[in-house]
């Protein structure tokens, strides 16, 4: 009796497996993993630096190899079919195995050569490149890559093991089992244009702040979540005038007189406090947040990742000193 399992097209399992190995490519598997994780062909194309037609063509080829649809449209998003979920599970296993192999090979090379990938949330871009640059000066044979995006996307990347280490705050809220190492403080302060009526006032209440037109980051931003929570703790909601997708856009909007906002002090360190912005003295601010270096719990770090973690932690004093200089500039401007 023939007891071999059958594929959707009736082929014996061994023949179908052989066909999959012969025709499916690693790029196709990476694309399928990204589409399932992001729920969108467009977002997957952006992440992989490809055009959407290229992504669609590769997934069509993979679908032809499997012999059954891998995705179905649900509203404006796409979701995997049962077959798509099976292929996705296999993709995760394959990609995780390749990542582990890369780590082991890098360890064999030591710190002479290799690749290091760092994922950071948007606000960390104000100091992460400096740390990476100093690290490369010390270890010139190592290639590095930096992915900057909002908190939600960074958590997605960590779940997919896309990078070696991550910099973001509040790791306990990530929804993942992670290991976190303290890196540096990340205070959130309230900013207004220097000629705003509240500049120079002391002890501004949250109730008074709630009357002002507020500028917020986009959904998925860690800063947005912290600010909204601080208002909610007082039973208040910010009077949101506009949502913007970057810290730079918010700073420009404040200067243009469109409202006030709360941003990380790090966003002002590179420009000496941004000459037309002033810090408001608001009860409940600054919100004392913290930067951490994070990676999934139980995942072995490569020799390079361990070296970078130790190197970055040693830079904490420099990061904190830079924040203090910016604080001094803003305090002087607000008092004046």
């Amino acid at each position: 009796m023939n007891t071999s399992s059958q594929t959707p097209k009736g082929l014996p399992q061994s023949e179908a497996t052989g066909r999959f190995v012969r025709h499916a490519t690693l790029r196709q598997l990476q694309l399928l993993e990204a589409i399932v994780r992001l729920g969108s062909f467009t977002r997957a194309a952006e992440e992989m630096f490809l055009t959407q037609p290229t992504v669609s063509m590769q997934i069509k080829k993979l679908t032809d190899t499997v012999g059954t649809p891998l995705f179905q449209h649900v509203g404006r998003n796409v979701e995997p079919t049962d077959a798509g979920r099976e292929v996705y599970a296999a993709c995760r296993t394959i990609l995780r195995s390749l990542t582990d192999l890369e780590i082991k090979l890098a360890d064999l090379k030591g710190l002479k050569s290799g690749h290091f990938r760092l994922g950071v949330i948007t606000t960390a871009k104000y100091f992460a490149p400096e740390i990476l640059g100093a690290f490369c000066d010390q270890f010139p044979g190592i290639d590095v890559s930096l992915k900057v995006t909002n908190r939600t996307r960074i958590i997605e990347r960590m779940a997919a093991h896309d990078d070696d280490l991550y910099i973001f705050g509040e790791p306990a809220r990530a929804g993942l089992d992670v290991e976190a190492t303290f890196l540096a403080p990340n205070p959130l302060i309230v900013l207004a244009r220097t000629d705003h009526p509240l500049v120079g006032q002391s002890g501004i209440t949250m109730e008074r702040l709630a009357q002002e037109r507020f500028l917020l980051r986009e959904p998925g931003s860690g800063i947005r979540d912290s600010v909204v929570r601080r208002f909610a703790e007082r039973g208040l909601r910010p009077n949101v005038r506009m949502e913007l997708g970057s810290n730079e856009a918010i700073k420009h909007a404040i200067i243009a007189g469109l409202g006030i906002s709360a941003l990380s002090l790090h966003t002002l360190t590179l420009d000496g406090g941004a000459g037309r912005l002033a810090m408001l003295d608001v009860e409940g601010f600054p919100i004392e947040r913290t930067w951490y270096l994070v990676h999934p719990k139980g995942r072995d770090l490569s020799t390079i990742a361990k070296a970078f973690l130790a190197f970055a932690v040693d830079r904490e004093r420099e990061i904190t000193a830079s924040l203090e200089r910016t604080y001094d500039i803003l305090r002087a401007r607000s008092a004046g």
Side-chain angles (χ1 to χ4, degrees):
M1 180 182 353
N2 184 1
T3 58
S4 64
S5 61
Q6 300 290 307
T7 68
K9 283 192 172 182
L11 292 174
Q13 188 66 45
S14 59
E15 183 178 341
T17 301
R19 185 181 62 182
F20 191 88
V21 171
R22 288 195 305 271
H23 297 290
T25 67
L26 179 59
R27 176 61 95 189
Q28 289 169 356
L29 299 183
Q30 290 174 314
L31 287 172
L32 181 135
E33 188 279 332
I35 294 167
V36 174
R37 174 165 45 85
L38 302 174
S40 165
F41 276 62
T42 301
R43 290 178 64 187
E46 292 172 353
E47 182 171 285
M48 302 290 287
F49 300 102
L50 297 171
T51 64
Q52 186 167 336
T54 298
V55 173
S56 298
M57 179 184 67
Q58 291 299 321
I59 293 301
K60 183 181 184 303
K61 290 182 178 180
L62 183 60
T63 301
D64 291 342
T65 297
V66 174
T68 189
L70 298 174
F71 291 100
Q72 57 190 351
H73 287 276
V74 179
R76 300 178 63 181
N77 294 329
V78 292
E79 291 184 358
T81 61
D82 289 342
R85 280 189 284 271
E86 291 292 336
V87 178
Y88 172 72
C91 285
R92 294 293 299 273
T93 301
I94 293 169
L95 295 175
R96 190 174 296 116
S97 296
L98 290 175
T99 299
D100 292 341
L101 174 61
E102 187 177 6
I103 289 173
K104 292 175 182 177
L105 293 175
D107 285 343
L108 292 175
K109 299 175 183 176
L111 293 173
K112 295 181 180 179
S113 63
H115 193 82
F116 174 70
R117 297 160 299 190
L118 180 66
V120 306
I121 66 172
T122 309
T123 307
K125 72 179 182 181
Y126 296 95
F127 65 87
E130 186 175 340
I131 298 176
L132 272 177
F135 183 73
C136 289
D137 287 342
Q138 185 165 332
F139 304 103
I142 296 174
D143 295 324
V144 300
S145 63
L146 176 65
K147 177 65 177 181
V148 180
T149 186
N150 68 25
R151 178 181 174 84
T152 297
R153 296 291 294 277
I154 284 296
I155 292 173
E156 290 172 351
R157 292 183 66 85
M158 183 161 59
H161 299 270
D162 286 339
D163 310 283
D164 298 297
L165 285 171
Y166 302 87
I167 297 178
F168 66 95
E170 300 182 311
R173 293 178 177 269
L176 302 172
D177 196 9
V178 301
E179 293 186 18
T181 302
F182 172 81
L183 177 60
N186 178 30
L188 302 186
I189 61 174
V190 181
L191 294 169
R193 198 165 70 176
T194 50
D195 59 356
H196 192 281
L198 292 179
V199 173
Q201 294 190 25
S202 300
I204 301 166
T205 65
M206 289 290 292
E207 288 76 12
R208 176 66 183 85
L209 196 68
Q211 299 173 22
E212 293 293 320
R213 297 174 300 183
F214 217 85
L215 307 171
L216 275 183
R217 284 288 306 274
E218 80 288 359
S221 161
I223 291 178
R224 176 195 179 101
D225 292 344
S226 293
V227 171
V228 171
R229 280 201 307 271
R230 181 52 50 93
F231 274 94
E233 289 168 1
R234 306 293 181 90
L236 300 168
R237 296 176 62 182
N239 176 23
V240 180
R241 177 172 189 177
M242 189 180 300
E243 295 179 348
L244 296 164
S246 73
N247 298 321
E248 297 307 311
I250 286 182
K251 288 194 289 186
H252 286 298
I254 295 172
I255 293 171
L258 295 175
I260 64 174
S261 188
L263 290 176
S264 167
L265 185 61
H266 286 280
T267 64
L268 305 175
T269 55
L270 295 182
D271 52 13
R276 298 185 64 187
L277 297 175
M279 180 175 61
L280 299 184
D281 180 15
V282 180
E283 295 177 356
F285 282 85
I287 299 175
E288 298 295 346
R289 303 176 79 222
T290 303
W291 290 121
Y292 294 91
L293 283 158
V294 181
H295 65 91
K297 197 166 190 176
R299 181 183 180 185
D300 292 332
L301 293 180
S302 68
T303 299
I304 296 173
K306 291 176 182 176
F308 179 84
L309 193 152
F311 183 88
V313 168
D314 284 343
R315 310 276 294 194
E316 185 270 332
R317 289 186 180 180
E318 295 177 32
I319 298 171
T320 301
S322 177
L323 289 178
E324 286 300 328
R325 289 192 293 271
T326 305
Y327 255 137
D328 290 341
I329 293 171
L330 288 171
R331 290 187 185 111
R333 185 178 302 143
S334 300

